Amino acid sequence: MLFALVVIAAVFLAWLVAAYNGLIALRGQTENALKQIDVQLKRRHDLIPNLVQAVQGAMDFEKDTLAAVISARNGAIMAAAGLDPQHVAASAAAEQQLSGALGKLMAVVESYPDLKATANVRQLQEELTSTENKVSFARQGYNDTATSYNIKQQQFPTNLVANMAGAAVAELWEIEDAAERAVPKVEFRRN
């Protein structure tokens, strides 16, 4: 009888340690995934002043557009400072505002053929596009990891250990702007 109780206690202790360590590992992976977003956002933020500088001379009468991009960039940098899984929504909102301002800038650049043909501007546009793709992949990776972490916290019997491991629900990176969610309208015309 005593042997059976010792075996049951050992199995319970092994499960407890495995559940605790599993939650800690998922929390670490979630934080790492968020830092990957942070790395890509920093790259994006660093590229923007170069792009603005490259187009500034040719776009003297588009100063409002340039000012909006710089203002949105500064807001995004402030929101990203100290980014943690509990404050993802504020950073996501600031990044959406920056994406909108960058979209307007790119549309304006398209209306300047000489500027669009400049190698420096083309390179910066390509780097920004590449960075946007990396940001999207990093956000997807974060959301996948955070979802696994959140599910594990809520599953029985792991939820019994969640408080002991200091587990808290991680916010997901969401698109709140309806314009960004909209499906692009494509029209094909025959000439």
Side-chain angles (χ1 to χ4, degrees), residues 55-128:
V55 300
Q56 201 164 20
M59 297 174 50
D60 280 340
F61 54 90
E62 301 284 357
K63 289 188 179 193
D64 291 344
T65 302
L66 297 176
V69 169
I70 293 299
S71 174
R73 175 191 174 261
N74 292 341
I77 288 172
M78 288 178 53
L83 185 60
D84 63 50
Q86 307 307 315
H87 300 99
V88 169
S91 183
E95 290 299 328
Q96 285 175 4
Q97 188 173 5
L98 179 57
S99 293
L102 275 175
K104 288 178 186 170
L105 176 62
M106 293 305 170
V108 169
V109 167
E110 294 295 320
S111 63
Y112 290 83
D114 292 342
L115 183 58
K116 196 173 125 183
T118 305
N120 194 18
V121 171
R122 266 198 332 257
Q123 181 186 0
L124 287 168
Q125 284 181 309
E126 288 171 8
E127 284 186 41
L128 268 176

